[in-house]
Amino acid sequence: MHTPNTFGRKDGSVFWLERIIVTLILFLIFIPLEAFPQGFGSGRTSEDLFPRDDSRTLKNTQEEFRLFPGESYTSLGVTVTWEVNDTTQEAKEQNHFLHLKGPNSEIRDVTIEAVSGQKTAFLDDVLIYYSACVEEIRMRTSSDPSSRGGGGFRIEKHIRSLICGAMSQSSSFTVMHRVDNPRMFVSHVNPLRINQFRLTVSSETISYPDGSDYMEIIATDSVSGETETIPAANDANRSIGRFSVYVKSTNVFTKTVGLHVTTQPDLSIRGEDAWAGDFSSAPNTPLEEVLKNLAKDYGFETEWLEHEGHPESVQFAKETRSVNRVAGETVDAVVQDIDPSHPVTFEWKTPTLLSVYPAGYEEVLKGKELAEARDLAKENFEKTHRFETQNYHLTEITSITAKAVIDQELRAYALLGTAVETYKAAGMENNPNALIERCIADEKANTVIVTAIPETHQKIEELLARMEAVLEVKQAEKAEPLELYQIEVALLQAVETSVSSATPVYMAKLNQTIEDISVTDEDIEEVIQMLSELTGVSINVDPQALGQRVTLNIVYSTPAIEILRLIADMHLLWIDFQHSSVLLRWGRKDTRVPPADPSDYGLKPEDLDRFKINEVSELGRSIQSITNSPAGGTFSVAMGERFQCEMSFQDFREPYLIVKGIVEQGDRAIVDSTLFLEKDKPSILAITNMRDTLILVVRLLEIR
């Protein structure tokens, strides 16, 4: 016999059992839904049963909620109501029902069972899933101690709440070759359509020969009118057309069935959407061959468009190669997987007509134009810089002295892109990309051998003629009166300067951003030429810097000028912003000594221009006197910390004082030359010493 008010008893063991049960109930009621990693009362979560999907046919909208007896909740347009009915007042037993109402259909009187596990209901393209939170209570049934099990307890199950969820689920699928979302649902009030097949669930169960009763899934082919049935029993399966349908879950109360649907590719489709899962093409296969094989197997045509006015561009596109292995599930996927070595665009004009356009041919034309411009520049360069070799025999001056003077007139020429750059020949001897004028002194024959362009030969002829003429008159044997000559000697050092920033003419172009650039062990000339083409600015490399290799990886949008500075810093170069072009020069700008005013030494701007020098700094300066006598005909003076200068009287022939000048650095003479001094006119001699350019300036200030 049932004993009421069991909770009111104060029996010790029962009292503590009641306390534990009440605590468990409160825990179940207030714990967040997310705290159930495997779903309440089930070995699988809602994610396992109803996986979220972002396919084209699923909206991927989902909401979870908890429902208590007598409550209603609306989610995704479906109202879920929990109704509790007492069957008899004496027994006080309750029946639990769910009512689900959507915009267009409803499912009523769904019995809620006090069992674990997740149930489903499908209406108006919304999947409702729910599971019962069940409390088990031991109730005393007898006071007879001889009763089995300790006398007098039974288990009552009470449904305390429902853990519910709602998720949008499409009921119409158009499948070509693969099912994007194989988990589908169908119910008596919400049919399922897969291509031409319409599936629904029977309103009543059907008896089978083995005595079991199942709902049935009815599949109707809207094209042929044929009908196929599937028992709504777990793991039942049927083939419907090219689809395989498996039953995964059933709910007889809501007449809802969960399905798993797979399919075979539709091999009847041709052209753009044809199944090409077995097609592949090896890397570096010509594009024409790839598309020809693809069109032959899958039924489409290819039209090759030309770049306007350039019919040869069609063959260019056909010979373009795909740099990777080409594959894909559909013909369109195969085409999109092609990675051409030159830009090519594809467009489906119709499902069976593919248009191919050589989008990258514009760059090919630019490359051809640039190559033609370079070839023309090279041809002109070779014509205008044809070297000739001539021998100059000397009678009055030595070949060593003549070579020291001639070396200051020699130049090196390099073709950078389409521009010709001119440099001092000194220091360029080992550059393979420059044409270098040379002078060799033959001391035995007292001859200099010069290889240079015609313009340089003309300068040398005039220079040697003036020097020889001065010494043609022999010094008179008679003793001349003693004369004193006051001489100023200065040793200067060239200071390389450049414009502080790019001129406004091309600064905007240098500030253009480059999306990404990645090179590995590339020749610096090729990398700089690429930057020149991208910015439209003429950028060249000093021949001394040629042959270096560049590795860099720019992944963010970066101004071209910053990339240029990065390359310069990596390779010990500096950027010379010239009037209309940019030159990466070798070495670092020298700022060890402050610049000096050239006019203080009697120099004019054109004197420095002869040596392509903009500024100078002073290393040493002194005013000394020598005479035309053996005793006072020589002086020596220090020029800074590193150099020593010595001057010796040779002769005086109106208007020239002829002296021999020697400049030494340590134990080595870097200058040993005969100088022709004219009053108040500086005699200038430029010397290249390793990476320094030195200028010796000697002036005759006074004759007494």
Side-chain angles (χ1 to χ4, degrees):
M1 178 178 180
H2 174 64
T3 302
N5 294 326
T6 304
F7 277 86
R9 297 183 61 83
K10 301 303 181 182
D11 178 84
S13 61
V14 175
F15 174 79
W16 285 108
L17 178 62
E18 293 171 350
R19 291 290 302 272
I20 293 172
I21 293 173
V22 171
T23 302
L24 178 60
I25 293 172
L26 293 175
F27 173 78
L28 293 173
I29 292 175
F30 295 105
I31 190 170
L33 181 60
E34 291 78 3
F36 294 92
Q38 295 297 323
F40 189 85
S42 172
R44 294 180 293 175
T45 66
S46 60
E47 287 287 337
D48 296 323
L49 291 175
F50 322 109
R52 291 181 173 91
D53 196 312
D54 58 354
S55 67
R56 295 175 296 177
T57 57
L58 188 60
K59 297 179 181 178
N60 195 31
T61 302
Q62 185 170 357
E63 181 183 8
E64 294 182 340
F65 55 95
R66 185 185 291 270
L67 206 62
F68 294 91
E71 289 188 337
S72 291
Y73 187 82
T74 301
S75 178
L76 305 184
V78 175
T79 300
V80 183
T81 303
W82 183 350
E83 181 181 318
V84 181
N85 295 326
D86 293 335
T87 56
T88 64
Q89 292 185 352
E90 294 78 10
K92 295 188 180 296
E93 294 180 355
Q94 296 176 325
N95 290 330
H96 299 263
F97 299 96
L98 280 184
H99 304 302
L100 302 100
K101 183 175 178 56
N104 303 308
S105 60
E106 64 178 334
I107 303 175
R108 296 189 56 81
D109 301 327
V110 177
T111 300
I112 306 175
E113 296 180 300
V115 295
S116 62
Q118 208 159 34
K119 305 297 183 181
T120 58
F122 188 44
L123 70 163
D124 293 337
D125 284 3
V126 175
L127 181 69
I128 301 294
Y129 51 94
Y130 58 94
S131 59
C133 296
V134 180
E135 175 191 3
E136 294 184 350
I137 301 177
R138 297 182 65 189
M139 304 296 293
R140 185 180 297 275
T141 60
S142 174
S143 59
D144 183 1
S146 63
S147 301
R148 184 179 179 181
F153 288 97
R154 64 184 177 84
I155 302 298
E156 287 191 358
K157 295 183 178 181
H158 294 267
I159 304 173
R160 297 304 185 188
S161 65
L162 293 177
I163 298 174
C164 305
M167 180 173 65
S168 294
Q169 173 74 33
S170 177
S171 61
S172 180
F173 296 83
T174 300
V175 179
M176 188 174 297
H177 300 299
R178 289 190 182 276
V179 179
D180 294 329
N181 179 33
R183 178 52 60 94
M184 303 178 188
F185 289 86
V186 61
S187 73
H188 177 63
V189 299
N190 203 147
L192 172 65
R193 180 174 292 277
I194 308 174
N195 288 10
Q196 78 270 29
F197 297 101
R198 183 181 185 273
L199 284 72
T200 188
V201 178
S202 63
S203 59
E204 302 295 336
T205 58
I206 307 298
S207 296
Y208 281 76
D210 63 355
S212 58
D213 293 329
Y214 298 109
M215 297 180 295
E216 277 191 338
I217 303 167
I218 302 98
T220 304
D221 188 335
S222 61
V223 176
S224 65
E226 296 179 356
T227 298
E228 180 79 31
T229 60
I230 310 171
N234 287 348
D235 297 326
N237 66 85
R238 291 285 189 278
S239 292
I240 303 175
R242 58 188 179 90
F243 297 96
S244 296
V245 180
Y246 300 83
V247 177
K248 290 298 183 181
S249 64
T250 62
N251 187 346
V252 296
F253 298 111
T254 62
K255 296 181 176 58
T256 298
V257 179
L259 305 175
H260 183 90
V261 181
T262 60
T263 185
Q264 296 296 320
D266 188 349
L267 302 182
S268 66
I269 299 175
R270 308 296 285 168
E272 177 182 4
D273 295 322
W275 176 257
D278 297 331
F279 180 86
S280 67
S281 179
N284 295 317
T285 303
L287 182 58
E288 181 181 25
E289 181 178 340
V290 174
L291 296 182
K292 182 179 179 180
N293 293 335
L294 198 62
K296 177 183 177 182
D297 292 342
Y298 302 105
F300 67 92
E301 295 181 354
T302 305
E303 67 170 0
W304 299 87
L305 303 180
E306 69 175 44
H307 184 80
E308 185 176 359
H310 293 276
E312 74 281 0
S313 62
V314 171
Q315 190 61 31
F316 167 81
K318 291 181 177 181
E319 294 176 356
T320 297
R321 296 177 180 270
S322 179
V323 299
N324 61 347
R325 175 183 174 273
V326 177
E329 292 188 348
T330 65
V331 168
D332 183 58
V334 172
V335 171
Q336 299 306 323
D337 192 50
I338 294 173
D339 184 12
S341 55
H342 293 90
V344 175
T345 58
F346 303 100
E347 179 184 359
W348 289 97
K349 295 295 184 64
T350 69
T352 57
L353 178 59
L354 177 64
S355 177
V356 184
Y357 177 73
Y361 201 67
E362 186 69 33
E363 296 302 319
V364 174
L365 294 176
K366 291 180 180 179
K368 288 182 178 179
E369 292 174 359
L370 182 60
E372 290 173 358
R374 288 180 175 175
D375 291 343
L376 181 59
K378 182 179 180 181
E379 182 180 347
N380 293 335
F381 177 73
E382 292 173 350
K383 289 180 180 179
T384 57
H385 293 78
R386 184 177 292 110
F387 279 6
E388 299 176 356
T389 300
Q390 294 187 25
N391 297 345
Y392 297 93
H393 181 70
L394 308 171
T395 57
E396 303 297 331
I397 58 176
T398 66
S399 60
I400 297 299
T401 298
K403 182 181 185 308
V405 176
I406 291 172
D407 282 346
Q408 307 310 310
E409 301 294 334
L410 300 181
R411 296 290 179 264
Y413 310 96
L415 180 62
L416 302 179
T418 58
V420 178
E421 291 291 333
T422 303
Y423 307 88
K424 290 177 290 186
M428 299 286 288
E429 292 83 358
N430 298 322
N431 192 312
N433 298 306
L435 297 177
I436 306 168
E437 296 178 330
R438 303 179 186 276
C439 177
I440 300 173
D442 183 350
E443 296 184 61
K444 293 182 177 180
N446 200 33
T447 299
V448 288
I449 305 167
V450 179
T451 301
I453 63 174
E455 289 81 354
T456 302
H457 279 296
Q458 184 177 353
K459 293 179 182 179
I460 292 173
E461 289 174 359
E462 295 173 356
L463 178 62
L464 293 179
R466 290 196 302 270
M467 294 174 64
E468 290 276 277
V470 172
L471 296 177
E472 282 181 355
V473 180
K474 301 295 184 180
Q475 182 178 3
E477 295 181 356
K478 63 179 182 178
E480 296 183 356
L482 183 65
E483 291 183 339
L484 184 141
Y485 307 97
Q486 192 176 54
I487 299 174
E488 179 189 62
V489 181
L491 186 62
L492 309 178
Q493 176 177 291
V495 178
E496 295 284 0
T497 61
S498 68
V499 180
S500 61
S501 64
T503 60
V505 175
Y506 53 75
M507 175 56 90
K509 295 182 179 180
L510 288 180
N511 281 323
Q512 294 180 77
T513 58
I514 296 177
E515 290 302 322
D516 61 81
I517 179 172
S518 178
V519 296
T520 303
D521 197 32
E522 292 287 344
D523 187 272
I524 189 171
E525 187 176 16
E526 295 295 328
V527 177
I528 294 304
Q529 185 60 41
M530 177 178 63
L531 286 177
S532 179
E533 294 175 359
L534 289 174
T535 60
V537 178
S538 176
I539 309 174
N540 301 301
V541 184
D542 189 326
Q544 291 181 315
L546 295 176
Q548 298 196 66
R549 314 297 294 182
V550 175
T551 296
L552 57 87
N553 184 26
I554 305 296
V555 297
Y556 299 105
S557 295
T558 305
I561 184 63
E562 296 302 326
I563 298 176
L564 198 60
R565 286 174 177 151
L566 177 62
I567 295 173
D569 290 342
M570 292 167 57
H571 298 278
L572 300 178
L573 307 175
W574 61 279
I575 305 175
D576 185 358
F577 295 103
Q578 300 177 348
H579 178 67
S580 60
S581 63
V582 180
L583 178 64
L584 284 183
R585 291 192 179 277
W586 179 259
R588 296 293 188 189
K589 290 185 284 187
D590 196 345
T591 56
R592 291 174 294 178
V593 289
D597 186 355
S599 62
D600 290 346
Y601 310 94
L603 299 178
K604 299 177 182 178
E606 53 266 28
D607 295 325
L608 297 182
D609 290 343
R610 291 169 49 200
F611 307 109
K612 294 189 178 297
I613 295 174
N614 296 320
E615 291 184 354
V616 293
S617 58
E618 181 183 296
L619 296 179
R621 185 179 188 183
S622 179
I623 298 177
Q624 300 288 332
S625 297
I626 60 174
T627 67
N628 57 353
S629 66
T634 301
F635 71 81
S636 180
V637 62
M639 294 283 106
E641 299 179 355
R642 298 183 294 158
F643 304 99
Q644 190 77 19
C645 181
E646 180 181 297
M647 293 289 166
S648 301
F649 174 83
Q650 299 293 307
D651 197 2
F652 181 82
R653 292 295 177 185
E654 190 68 33
Y656 297 109
L657 171 65
I658 304 172
V659 296
K660 182 176 183 180
I662 299 175
V663 178
E664 296 179 334
Q665 182 180 13
D667 297 331
R668 184 171 65 92
I670 61 174
V671 173
D672 186 349
S673 182
T674 300
L675 304 176
F676 296 78
L677 306 180
E678 189 174 356
K679 192 171 182 302
D680 296 327
K681 292 184 179 181
S683 178
I684 308 168
L685 192 61
I687 315 109
T688 299
N689 178 36
M690 298 298 288
R691 291 176 59 186
D692 296 328
T693 299
L694 306 178
I695 301 175
L696 179 65
V697 183
V698 184
R699 283 197 294 178
L700 176 59
L701 301 180
E702 186 179 0
I703 301 176
R704 293 188 297 198

